Amino acid sequence: MSIGIFDSGLGGLTVLKEVRKIFPNEEIFYFGDTARVPYGEKTKELIIRYSKEITDFLLTKNINVLVVACNTATALALEELKAVYDIPVIGVIEAGVRSALSVTKTNEIGVIGTKATINSEKYKQEIHRRNKDIVVYQKACPLFVHVVEEGLLDGEIIESIIKHYLGDFDDKVDTLILGCTHYPLLKKEIQKIYPDLNLIDPAMETALDLKKVLTENNAAENKGGHVKFYVSDGVQNFRNIGSMFLDEEIEDIELIKL
Amino acid sequence: MSIGIFDSGLGGLTVLKEVRKIFPNEEIFYFGDTARVPYGEKTKELIIRYSKEITDFLLTKNINVLVVACNTATALALEELKAVYDIPVIGVIEAGVRSALSVTKTNEIGVIGTKATINSEKYKQEIHRRNKDIVVYQKACPLFVHVVEEGLLDGEIIESIIKHYLGDFDDKVDTLILGCTHYPLLKKEIQKIYPDLNLIDPAMETALDLKKVLTENNAAENKGGHVKFYVSDGVQNFRNIGSMFLDEEIEDIELIKL
């Protein structure tokens, strides 16, 4: 079994990290679309087109299962990918929702993500599909991605941006879904400002979804645990900053023109 | 004479605005590469590739002169475009430098821009080509673009980000080149915090460069002053936010797949 994982860039490495913990011996192909990052403000049509281009590429590596490790691509392209391709396709939204529902006590859940993710209402729909009684508050936080990519993970700037976005609704919810793979890097700072909030990172739960799929297909096997990375721009930058997300050196990496 | 103008997205509209003031009757084709914005953190190879794709497209509209209304594309792709294409190609960097040199009294000039622009050192080289005695301080300010695109043009967040980037060197220079077409929208707020700084917006001077080229070629003519817009994603968003940059309604706009 070979696992394909893709994201608009670096963020999906937080998902890869969890997958690696459960499957240290599987062969994994990771694609980061660094030429066209960020996805969060693109249209649905364009995100579907880019997601298909990447999936077509990963299929040439004979992947048997695909993880869409990007909330925006999951929100806007997952249905299309599932309809078009024969292999199992796993997104991050179901995992995040399941996790949040198991934790909330007040039945009031907050969701933060990119503009495209929030406008799609996919998190809200998935929450209500499972439990109609949950009150959902949503907020797009487009600056978070850029602040994380700048490495400004603490200090005055990120503090004022967190308060700007979350000040409105922190007293309304007891649980907050970090609906963008960049946001877990802000977990510590958000928790410092809002210590009572349950913060949900869908990455770990997504890895468990993958485990379920592999178990159902009796497909887990020892392929030596090699991870091959592909990016569409900036190999050196991905190698440097990627290790911050992954907590592991990024070695075998190749530039792909899409 | 038909004028082609391109930018990674919306920012170049600040240049178009100045060009329209001088040439209200020329036919203009504007391309905003909104699918692949921002350019500021991409590699030189990729920015050259994108710039050529756009220029090739604009040439199918029979443009006679090209304005690269993007500092990053000017810094990394202007030389290549000049070498490859037969029509005159005008960037924004020479204009900004000329303007700054005419204003500085202390011979200490600051330059701010995207990571790619600053790393290219093109502003510094152009300043020293004209005057070796100028001391140049440079700083990449990647968050500015995103804050402008979010419309956060005043308030606590932008104030702390301005101080974060400019706090280091505001007392060292008397003149600051806004080396990214987004930054003029922050002019008021920067000026509020640093009232003594001369802020240089290359847009106006770029329009004068264009005038010079058209005059040399006796090429100015009345073609009715129509502006045709092309974008690679998000027509509606460009129409809405674009008017903020342009101070004019954006009417004739078309989606182009690149």
Side-chain angles (χ1 to χ4, degrees):
Chain A
M1 193 76 158
S2 295
I3 302 165
I5 302 181
F6 84 83
D7 177 45
S8 60
L10 292 156
L13 294 175
T14 59
V15 177
L16 173 61
K17 190 175 154 188
E18 298 301 326
V19 171
R20 291 276 285 162
K21 282 182 196 162
I22 303 187
F23 304 106
N25 298 314
E26 295 298 313
E27 183 179 47
I28 301 174
F29 297 94
Y30 181 96
F31 193 102
D33 196 5
T34 44
R36 307 183 293 196
V37 71
Y39 279 12
E41 285 160 50
K42 301 190 198 305
T43 61
K44 179 171 182 172
E45 293 65 36
L46 192 65
I47 290 168
I48 287 177
R49 183 181 132 204
Y50 287 175
S51 298
K52 281 170 150 180
E53 285 175 11
I54 294 167
T55 307
D56 288 338
F57 170 78
L58 286 172
L59 284 170
T60 67
K61 306 298 160 193
N62 298 314
I63 58 162
N64 310 100
V65 58
L66 177 68
V67 180
V68 182
C70 168
N71 284 268
T72 304
T74 299
L76 298 171
L78 187 71
E79 279 170 32
E80 178 81 9
L81 295 177
K82 280 185 170 176
V84 169
Y85 298 100
D86 285 335
I87 59 169
V89 184
I90 296 165
V92 285
I93 291 181
E94 278 194 44
V97 167
R98 222 169 40 233
S99 194
L101 288 175
S102 72
V103 161
T104 181
K105 289 198 169 62
T106 64
N107 281 359
E108 289 159 322
I109 295 176
V111 181
I112 55 175
T114 65
K115 275 187 197 164
T117 298
I118 296 305
N119 290 341
S120 78
E121 302 233 311
K122 278 284 162 7
Y123 267 103
K124 197 171 176 178
Q125 288 163 13
E126 181 62 23
I127 291 170
H128 285 156
R129 196 177 67 78
R130 289 165 179 266
N131 185 342
K132 281 196 169 48
D133 298 330
I134 304 284
V135 181
V136 181
Y137 294 91
Q138 300 188 100
K139 182 96 177 179
C141 306
L143 285 178
F144 278 173
V145 165
H146 308 298
V147 171
V148 168
E149 301 234 330
E150 269 287 277
L152 293 172
L153 304 182
D154 49 39
E156 193 192 341
I157 291 175
I158 184 59
E159 207 172 294
S160 63
I161 295 178
I162 289 172
K163 286 177 184 164
H164 170 72
Y165 286 134
L166 304 185
D168 278 356
F169 74 179
D170 81 287
D171 55 343
K172 296 197 186 81
V173 304
D174 74 336
T175 302
L176 181 68
I177 299 176
L178 306 175
C180 171
T181 47
H182 280 78
Y183 298 177
L185 280 91
L186 296 173
K187 214 168 165 176
K188 222 170 125 185
E189 198 65 17
I190 296 175
Q191 201 75 83
K192 203 181 86 188
I193 301 174
Y194 305 113
D196 297 333
L197 218 46
N198 299 309
L199 300 182
I200 305 296
D201 168 9
M204 204 173 66
E205 202 76 11
T206 301
L208 295 177
D209 279 352
L210 179 63
K211 188 179 181 183
K212 201 165 155 246
V213 168
L214 295 190
T215 309
E216 277 167 7
N217 293 279
N218 288 315
E221 57 180 328
N222 189 332
K223 281 203 169 184
H226 186 68
V227 186
K228 169 89 188 190
F229 295 89
Y230 302 96
V231 292
S232 47
D233 193 34
V235 167
Q236 201 48 54
N237 187 55
F238 190 89
R239 208 195 291 270
N240 296 342
I241 305 184
S243 56
M244 179 173 97
F245 282 78
L246 193 58
D247 272 344
E248 192 178 326
E249 285 303 308
I250 288 174
E251 280 159 13
D252 188 1
I253 180 167
E254 193 179 327
L255 182 71
I256 299 295
K257 180 176 163 179
L258 276 194
Chain B
M1 194 75 158
S2 296
I3 302 166
I5 302 181
F6 84 85
D7 177 44
S8 59
L10 291 156
L13 295 174
T14 59
V15 177
L16 173 60
K17 191 176 154 188
E18 298 301 325
V19 171
R20 290 276 285 162
K21 281 183 197 162
I22 302 187
F23 304 105
N25 298 315
E26 295 297 313
E27 182 178 48
I28 301 176
F29 297 94
Y30 181 96
F31 194 102
D33 195 6
T34 45
R36 306 182 295 195
V37 71
Y39 279 12
E41 286 163 48
K42 301 191 199 303
T43 60
K44 180 171 181 172
E45 293 66 36
L46 192 65
I47 290 167
I48 288 177
R49 184 182 131 204
Y50 287 174
S51 298
K52 281 171 150 179
E53 284 174 12
I54 294 166
T55 307
D56 289 338
F57 169 78
L58 286 171
L59 284 170
T60 67
K61 306 298 159 193
N62 298 315
I63 59 162
N64 311 101
V65 57
L66 177 68
V67 180
V68 182
C70 169
N71 283 269
T72 304
T74 300
L76 298 171
L78 187 72
E79 278 170 34
E80 178 81 10
L81 295 177
K82 281 186 169 176
V84 169
Y85 298 101
D86 286 335
I87 59 170
V89 184
I90 295 165
V92 285
I93 291 181
E94 278 194 44
V97 167
R98 222 170 38 234
S99 195
L101 288 174
S102 72
V103 161
T104 182
K105 289 198 169 63
T106 63
N107 280 359
E108 291 158 321
I109 295 177
V111 181
I112 55 176
T114 65
K115 275 186 196 166
T117 299
I118 296 305
N119 289 342
S120 78
E121 303 232 311
K122 278 284 161 8
Y123 267 104
K124 197 171 176 179
Q125 289 163 13
E126 181 62 22
I127 290 170
H128 285 156
R129 196 177 67 79
R130 289 165 179 267
N131 185 342
K132 280 195 171 52
D133 299 329
I134 304 283
V135 181
V136 182
Y137 295 92
Q138 301 188 96
K139 182 97 177 180
C141 307
L143 285 177
F144 278 173
V145 165
H146 308 298
V147 171
V148 168
E149 301 234 330
E150 268 288 277
L152 293 173
L153 304 182
D154 51 38
E156 192 190 341
I157 291 175
I158 184 59
E159 205 171 297
S160 63
I161 295 177
I162 290 172
K163 286 177 184 163
H164 169 73
Y165 285 134
L166 305 185
D168 278 356
F169 74 178
D170 81 288
D171 55 343
K172 296 198 186 82
V173 304
D174 74 336
T175 301
L176 181 68
I177 299 177
L178 306 175
C180 170
T181 48
H182 280 78
Y183 298 176
L185 281 91
L186 295 174
K187 213 169 165 176
K188 221 170 127 186
E189 198 66 16
I190 295 175
Q191 200 76 84
K192 203 179 86 186
I193 301 174
Y194 304 114
D196 297 332
L197 218 44
N198 299 309
L199 300 181
I200 304 296
D201 168 9
M204 205 173 66
E205 202 76 11
T206 302
L208 295 177
D209 279 352
L210 179 63
K211 189 179 180 184
K212 200 164 156 246
V213 168
L214 294 190
T215 309
E216 277 168 6
N217 293 277
N218 288 316
E221 58 180 329
N222 190 333
K223 282 204 167 182
H226 186 69
V227 186
K228 168 90 188 189
F229 295 90
Y230 303 96
V231 292
S232 47
D233 194 34
V235 166
Q236 201 48 55
N237 187 56
F238 190 88
R239 208 196 291 270
N240 295 344
I241 305 186
S243 56
M244 180 172 97
F245 282 78
L246 193 58
D247 272 344
E248 191 177 330
E249 286 303 308
I250 288 173
E251 279 158 14
D252 188 2
I253 179 167
E254 193 179 327
L255 183 70
I256 299 293
K257 180 179 164 176
L258 275 193

